[in-house]
DNA sequence: TAGATTGTTAATCGATTAACAATC
DNA sequence: TAGATTGTTAATCGATTAACAATC
């Protein structure tokens, strides 16, 4: 009865499979083989089959995978068959952007309310969700089922806020503040660290530039231009 | 002279090191050992030393690492010693949120302009950056040095937009549209897929719930409560 | 049936952790 | 100097890829 833990790498790839299958579904593609899908997604067919077989056999020998079935099965694995009530703490641009993002609701993530300390924002409505004063946060959580709290407040407030949220019963946190939240293991935290994403981009940009420069220095600019094609193959992102 | 490629896993960790070192710096911590840092960051000391030694020896035996020096060296590795000019295409909530995020500028990422097709947004200013009509995008790129273009337009427009941007000379793309951009290798794309992040959260929430349920079923609710402590140790995120 | 493609085992590759000599 | 901690090599662990028998 022992089921080995699914690796983080696999979980990270699941939403991407789900997205590609959703796109295929929209194009009315009925079936797809791991090989075809692997070419679209630029991964190996072997990896796709290995990943899926962590959860069961969804395909059929000689046929491949039924797109609609596989899409719906991955949806179930991802927990998308149920609705999630979300609140957003911090109704600035980012909080509002999240509340406005219609696509989340299509997947079952429904923003129920936003909270902010700024009295000017309180009372405004973003789609169906109202901005409430932060003082009401505790009582709101205690009298409504909240599955996920998105934190879009400044770094300085985020750590204390997260601890409060947990003490009021929140089990899922979507954290946009640029800090780690060290919370009990029964609380699930998913981080979106935009500044770190941007730094990864600058790392890659600047390391490509350094490569360029060293080539030019070594070969002279004339040579470097001739070799451009070859180099592209090496400097994959 | 051959230098082995830095692995993606290492690069992903660099910004986090940078953040922790920045925090230590603010607290006027002068030195730190890999062991101390590893406890704060919840990684192994071995990994920290291995990661750093991809780029050189920044520490000193018997002493550890000088916080200020290491912070600045990692900053250099990440390419943060130079300025990056950013434009944002799509001046909706998300685009505005990015333009408003003061912290980016502190790291050298300066938002110079936003672009939008909505005439009501055109002409408004977000901090120092003006919203311009999308028609001006090509000429703007061709007459200004733009290092990074952030894409915050809907999925349907993103792929064509990215191709245009590249044809106009853009080399770095920060993509927020829920789609992959297949661009030439010399273009660096960093993706932020919010919907996928949310799905990872729902996966983890729902798999924890399933574990709960199976325990309750197997043991009866009374037992399950008694075993809560033990279980926490197993269900790490 | 013959051909195609899965599910799965085995082989390879890479990343993490452990250990320790070097050295501040 | 003695103690501490790095830099680095070796051992372990895990993830990816290859291969192929099973089977639709």
């Amino acid at each position: 009865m022992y089921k080995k833990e699914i690796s983080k790498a696999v979980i990270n790839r699941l939403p991407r499979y789900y997205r590609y299958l959703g796109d295929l579904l929209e194009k009315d593609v009925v079936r797809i083989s791991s090989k075809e899908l692997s070419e679209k997604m630029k991964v190996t067919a072997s990896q796709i089959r290995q990943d899926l077989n962590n959860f069961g056999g969804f395909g059929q020998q000689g046929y491949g995978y039924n797109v609609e079935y596989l899409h719906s099965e991955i949806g179930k694995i991802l927990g998308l068959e149920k609705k999630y009530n979300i609140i957003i703490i911090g109704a600035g641009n980012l909080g509002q952007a999240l509340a406005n993002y219609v696509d989340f609701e299509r997947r079952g993530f429904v923003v129920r309310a936003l909270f902010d300390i700024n009295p000017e924002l309180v009372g405004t409505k973003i789609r169906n969700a109202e901005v409430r004063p932060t003082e009401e946060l505790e009582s709101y959580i205690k009298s409504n089922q909240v599955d996920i709290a998105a934190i879009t407040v400044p770094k300085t407030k985020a750590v204390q806020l997260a601890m409060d949220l947990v003490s009021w019963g929140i089990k899922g946190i979507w954290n946009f503040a640029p800090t780690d939240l060290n919370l009990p293991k029964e609380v699930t935290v998913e981080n979106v660290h935009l500044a770190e994403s941007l730094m990864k981009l600058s790392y890659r940009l600047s390391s490509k530039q350094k490569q360029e420069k060293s080539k030019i220095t070594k070969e002279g600019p004339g040579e470097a231009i001739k070799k451009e094609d070859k180099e592209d193959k090496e400097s994959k992102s």
Side-chain angles (χ1 to χ4, degrees), chain A:
Chain A
M1 206 59 211
Y2 173 75
K3 211 175 177 184
K4 73 166 185 301
E5 193 75 20
I6 308 296
S7 87
K8 214 186 153 189
V10 174
I11 299 166
N12 284 334
R13 287 191 290 266
L14 283 181
R16 188 156 179 265
Y17 291 137
Y18 188 75
R19 173 157 56 84
Y20 272 84
L21 289 162
D23 290 349
L24 289 167
L25 205 54
E26 275 181 16
K27 288 187 209 144
D28 296 316
V29 177
V30 174
R31 53 168 279 213
I32 192 155
S33 69
S34 58
K35 180 143 178 296
E36 290 171 286
L37 187 57
S38 77
E39 283 157 4
K40 282 189 195 297
M41 296 186 64
K42 309 198 168 162
V43 296
T44 62
S46 208
Q47 180 165 76
I48 292 174
R49 296 204 298 277
Q50 285 277 26
D51 283 353
L52 296 179
N53 277 89
N54 280 294
F55 305 96
F58 302 122
Q60 194 167 79
Q61 281 99 328
Y63 175 87
Y65 299 87
N66 178 287
V67 173
E68 191 175 354
Y69 175 68
L70 185 55
H71 181 259
S72 114
E73 287 299 309
I74 295 179
K76 280 184 210 161
I77 293 164
L78 288 169
L80 303 181
E81 82 287 4
K82 78 178 278 293
K83 280 237 182 311
Y84 295 85
N85 293 318
I86 301 189
I87 59 171
I88 297 171
I89 302 110
N93 286 114
L94 183 55
Q96 289 183 34
L98 298 179
N100 265 312
Y101 201 12
V102 185
D103 259 28
F104 296 153
E105 193 154 334
R106 237 185 62 219
R107 298 290 174 227
F109 300 97
V110 187
V111 175
R112 297 295 185 186
L114 296 90
F115 293 85
D116 206 288
I117 47 166
N118 182 349
E120 284 183 21
L121 289 170
V122 169
T124 58
K125 260 200 152 184
I126 291 128
R127 301 207 301 137
N128 293 317
E130 200 184 325
V131 180
R132 295 158 187 260
T134 308
E135 296 85 55
E136 291 178 14
L137 185 52
E138 178 175 359
S139 68
Y140 184 93
I141 291 171
K142 287 181 172 170
S143 53
N144 292 275
Q145 203 218 314
V146 178
D147 302 295
I148 294 169
I151 296 182
T152 63
V153 302
K155 181 182 180 168
T156 48
K157 308 258 176 110
V159 174
Q160 183 57 53
L161 171 63
M163 290 193 299
D164 289 342
L165 290 170
V166 169
S167 75
W168 299 332
I170 292 292
K171 289 275 184 290
I173 291 181
W174 200 19
N175 175 44
F176 288 79
T179 182
D180 290 334
L181 306 172
N182 291 309
L183 300 172
K185 292 138 239 105
E186 70 268 19
V187 180
T188 306
V189 179
E190 168 76 19
N191 291 301
V192 178
H193 288 325
L194 295 178
E196 296 187 11
S197 167
L198 197 44
M199 288 182 205
K200 280 191 267 175
L201 179 53
S202 73
Y203 170 84
R204 293 200 277 149
L205 284 172
S206 68
S207 60
K208 271 182 196 172
Q209 227 165 26
K210 278 169 204 159
Q211 267 177 284
E212 280 306 314
K213 267 187 202 149
S214 76
K215 292 225 165 134
I216 289 164
T217 314
K218 268 185 266 173
E219 300 170 354
E223 299 288 319
I225 285 157
K226 273 200 275 168
K227 298 220 169 162
E228 224 158 68
D229 270 319
K230 196 185 156 231
E231 169 192 314
D232 283 350
K233 261 162 209 140
E234 292 158 13
S235 69
K236 63 178 61 140
S237 65

